[in-house]
Amino acid sequence: PLMKGMDHIGRLFAANEMIVAEVLQSAEVMKAAVAHLEPHMDNASTASRGKILLATVKGDVHDIGKNLVHIILKNNGYEIIDLGIKVAPETLIEQALKHRPDLIGLSGLLVKSAHQMVATAEDLKNAGITAPLLVGGAALSGKFTATRIAPAYQQPVLWAKDAMQGLDLANQLQDPQQRPKVLAKNREAQASLRGEGVTAIVATVATTATPKAKITALDDIPTPPDLRLHVEQDFNVAEIFRYVNPIMLYGKHLGLKGNLERLFSENDPKALEIKKRVEDIQNEILAKKYIQAKAVYRFFAARSDGDSLMIYDSPSSRNALTRFDFPRQKSAEGLCLTDFVRPVPDSFASTPDYICFFVVTCGAGIMELASQLREKGEYLKSFAIQALAIESAEGFAELLHEKIRAMWGIPDPKEMTAREKFQAKYRGLRVSFGYPACPNLEDQKKLFALLDPAKHIRVTLTEGLMMEPEASVSALVLHHPQARYFSV
Ligand code: B1M
């Protein structure tokens, strides 16, 4: 009956009648009920539905998405062997040979991690492992899975867009009657995504010259108050919570659907209940200091040189500390981030421009805490703390950016609302390496050399160029009024 209960919850979720927060709450109740009844149950009723090896791929510190999958699968009767984050293919092979899982689940956040999945799949194949792979994560797509990961593994690879779809696929694979059907459906869908059996349409790429966008050169460059390194060791987390984007926290992570402002103002019972749980968790975080907010930032003199951004120690320096090369749009506007920075002058006597770099983190100890809570069956709390930490990192970036604008002498108008700030309606732009306008994650190394966040705030770079802890954000801040987001 308990298994049926969870199946029912799964169906409600799939039919959009239950949201992530409710699934986690139900899982808490279910875990408590199982613990209570287990001594009275026979082996058949406690038997596992299957064994799943779960991991975030090498170089990747992404934990929260994997954990949601872990909780949901575990509470649906699967035995989960969670190998954690940054798991090398050798470890996966060793553990797969030891545990002989029915399914191997891989998670990853960045595009780089999707490529790591291809390498991992190839290594698993070479080691003779044949268990189906279940893959998921923010930057992964069904097409990438079909065209890159599945051919590398040559065994079934199934892509899940979210944790509940992951459960649904696992259930179908473990059901002897459903298994051939789901595998055949997956094969067909992936063949079609690879374009097999379809006449290829050759895209013609326009090769016309790309005009440069009209960005006005500024007469008055705002001057920062200093060019020294600033370190914040214990920033006020209550203040950061006010900058957490509710759409991300309640909508994206906890799954509330619809217009949040309206749900809350009209006292929607489900929305209010979840808000109350989250606020209680926020109060506990503040009281027990679970989240520690740290930042390191510095203004630098800067000049643009074509598509390169030159960074200097001081306005009078002639030798650049480092340079960043950014891509230029091939489309109509032909934008490049360097268009928003004053160019290298003929004479170095003229004033340079300035930029700011920063790294913030709210993640120290969060992964361990979330894992302990998960083990205790406090699923919603475990997930909400992790979601609050990552959204606090983003909120802290927003808050620090506002502070930087004020230090720079370009504060926001007093009447600017929080919503306008989330919509980036202030002067200037904040971009992070990995974003579409500056996609090269290798640039993280140069940023880390300039700010040394490992020394000052204990944020390190993995070999996959992700920051550890997970709840960390790095950014480049530009002040030009015309600076805005674009894709290359
Ligand atoms: Co950022 N981030 N981020 N980020 N972030 C992305 C992924 C990005 C696409 C944004 C963008 O550019 N538009 C981009 C990656 C692009 C690329 O790869 N080049 C990006 C970047 C660049 C970065 C940084 C590098 C930026 C920087 O600071 N320089 C940085 C890296 C962090 C680090 O190094 N530690 C960073 C930071 C962050 C935050 C910390 C602020 C925050 C949290 C990240 C996190 O989830 N751990 C964040 C967020 C929130 C995002 C977006 C907006 C949303 C990600 C998300 O939904 N997370 C994302 C853009 C987007 O997707 N729209 C973006 C919540 C989590 C529960 O979802 O892990 O996807 P996810 O899990 C889902 C499903 O994917 C699935 O189930 C879960 C839900 O049910 N799933 C599986 C996952 N694993 C599965 C396994 C399965 C089955 C299903 O079976 C085994």
Side-chain angles (χ1 to χ4, degrees):
L2 284 171
M3 208 76 103
K4 281 197 184 132
M6 273 323 284
D7 276 346
H8 184 61
I9 289 169
R11 274 196 298 279
L12 286 175
F13 182 89
N16 275 339
E17 284 173 34
M18 210 175 204
I19 62 169
V20 174
E22 291 173 304
V23 170
L24 294 173
Q25 274 176 313
S26 314
E28 285 178 358
V29 175
M30 207 55 82
K31 164 135 181 162
V34 171
H36 189 70
L37 294 175
E38 219 159 33
H40 312 286
M41 287 153 86
D42 57 26
N43 285 346
S45 25
T46 54
S48 152
R49 260 184 173 176
K51 200 189 276 181
I52 301 183
L53 203 57
L54 199 56
T56 295
V57 292
K58 182 176 168 183
D60 192 329
V61 304
H62 169 248
D63 198 39
I64 185 167
K66 167 186 70 62
N67 288 348
L68 193 57
V69 175
H70 176 144
I71 293 172
I72 285 173
L73 287 171
K74 187 165 177 191
N75 279 278
N76 277 275
Y78 289 93
E79 182 189 341
I80 305 296
I81 300 148
D82 189 336
L83 302 179
I85 59 170
K86 299 191 292 179
V87 180
E90 308 84 73
T91 313
L92 262 167
I93 292 168
E94 187 191 300
Q95 295 295 315
L97 293 173
K98 179 172 164 200
H99 296 285
R100 303 264 159 213
D102 299 294
L103 193 59
I104 300 177
L106 300 180
S107 187
L109 182 73
L110 305 179
V111 172
K112 212 173 161 69
S113 309
H115 290 280
Q116 181 58 47
M117 282 187 198
V118 179
T120 304
E122 194 157 6
D123 288 351
L124 289 170
K125 177 196 76 183
N126 292 339
I129 287 156
T130 57
L133 285 189
L134 183 65
V135 295
L140 204 60
S141 67
K143 177 143 193 195
F144 186 88
T145 308
T147 54
R148 303 292 312 280
I149 309 177
Y153 193 42
Q154 292 175 14
Q155 294 291 338
V157 182
L158 297 95
W159 170 68
K161 77 170 182 344
D162 57 33
M164 285 318 279
Q165 197 185 9
L167 169 67
D168 188 39
L169 289 168
N171 286 347
Q172 292 185 57
L173 284 170
Q174 288 307 97
D175 177 336
Q177 276 170 3
Q178 296 282 326
R179 188 180 175 97
K181 289 186 209 154
V182 70
L183 288 178
K185 203 169 143 199
N186 190 53
R187 252 192 325 270
E188 262 171 47
Q190 292 190 339
S192 137
L193 283 169
R194 284 192 292 266
E196 288 164 14
V198 180
T199 320
I201 299 164
V202 181
T204 47
V205 180
T207 50
T208 47
T210 52
K212 215 174 149 191
K214 293 256 173 301
I215 305 298
T216 320
L218 296 183
D219 290 333
D220 54 335
I221 297 281
T223 311
D226 59 57
L227 296 186
R228 69 180 174 82
L229 191 86
H230 294 252
V231 182
E232 298 279 357
Q233 286 296 357
D234 190 14
F235 200 90
N236 184 344
V237 178
E239 202 183 327
I240 293 175
F241 280 164
R242 289 194 277 114
Y243 284 74
V244 166
N245 187 342
I247 297 178
M248 286 302 288
L249 181 65
Y250 289 102
K252 174 112 188 153
H253 296 290
L254 296 168
L256 264 184
K257 295 182 178 75
N259 180 325
L260 291 183
E261 266 171 30
R262 196 174 321 135
L263 288 176
F264 291 135
S265 67
E266 290 176 0
N267 293 334
D268 176 86
K270 191 188 269 190
L272 287 188
E273 194 203 321
I274 290 167
K275 191 160 180 262
K276 170 84 179 62
R277 276 287 306 255
V278 170
E279 282 170 357
D280 288 347
I281 293 170
Q282 282 181 315
N283 289 336
E284 188 177 336
I285 289 173
L286 295 176
K288 298 194 176 154
K289 281 191 154 283
Y290 287 151
I291 292 183
Q292 290 147 37
K294 296 177 187 292
V296 55
Y297 62 102
R298 195 193 142 172
F299 292 95
F300 289 89
R303 295 179 173 91
S304 65
D305 185 3
D307 297 350
S308 303
L309 175 69
M310 316 297 286
I311 305 294
Y312 302 88
D313 205 24
S314 78
S316 56
S317 307
R318 281 161 181 254
N319 299 325
L321 289 171
T322 189
R323 64 183 265 179
F324 293 85
D325 301 310
F326 295 125
R328 183 170 289 283
Q329 275 181 318
K330 304 260 180 299
S331 61
E333 284 190 297
L335 276 175
C336 175
L337 282 179
T338 53
D339 296 346
F340 306 119
V341 179
R342 182 176 269 188
V344 169
D346 295 337
S347 149
F348 269 81
S350 69
T351 335
D353 207 334
Y354 296 94
I355 56 93
C356 186
F357 279 122
F358 70 70
V359 175
V360 297
T361 186
C362 290
I366 294 298
M367 200 176 87
E368 296 74 11
L369 177 64
S371 161
Q372 283 163 18
L373 290 167
R374 196 174 64 229
E375 286 313 308
K376 283 202 269 171
E378 296 191 49
Y379 298 128
L380 180 61
K381 199 186 212 180
S382 165
F383 184 72
I385 286 181
Q386 221 164 3
L388 272 162
I390 61 180
E391 289 311 321
S392 292
E394 187 63 30
F396 193 11
E398 193 70 65
L399 196 169
L400 185 62
H401 186 187
E402 183 179 327
K403 191 173 150 161
I404 286 166
R405 289 194 296 278
M407 288 169 80
W408 221 332
I410 49 165
D412 299 340
K414 285 210 168 49
E415 61 281 6
M416 187 174 273
T417 62
R419 179 199 271 249
E420 285 170 331
K421 286 178 192 169
F422 288 136
Q423 292 169 341
K425 294 211 169 137
Y426 39 69
R427 171 170 167 173
L429 178 71
R430 179 178 84 249
V431 284
S432 292
F433 295 132
Y435 279 13
C438 44
N440 188 5
L441 274 174
E442 290 287 327
D443 286 341
Q444 289 276 64
K445 285 189 193 159
K446 294 182 189 170
L447 186 152
F448 268 60
L450 291 171
L451 299 182
D452 202 354
K455 175 173 161 202
H456 300 293
I457 56 169
R458 295 183 180 207
V459 174
T460 53
L461 265 191
T462 68
E463 56 186 306
L465 303 168
M466 288 190 81
M467 291 168 288
E468 196 162 18
E470 179 183 22
S472 305
V473 171
S474 66
L476 158 67
V477 183
L478 304 172
H479 66 72
H480 198 291
Q482 283 175 282
R484 58 183 166 78
Y485 289 110
F486 60 89
S487 292
V488 175

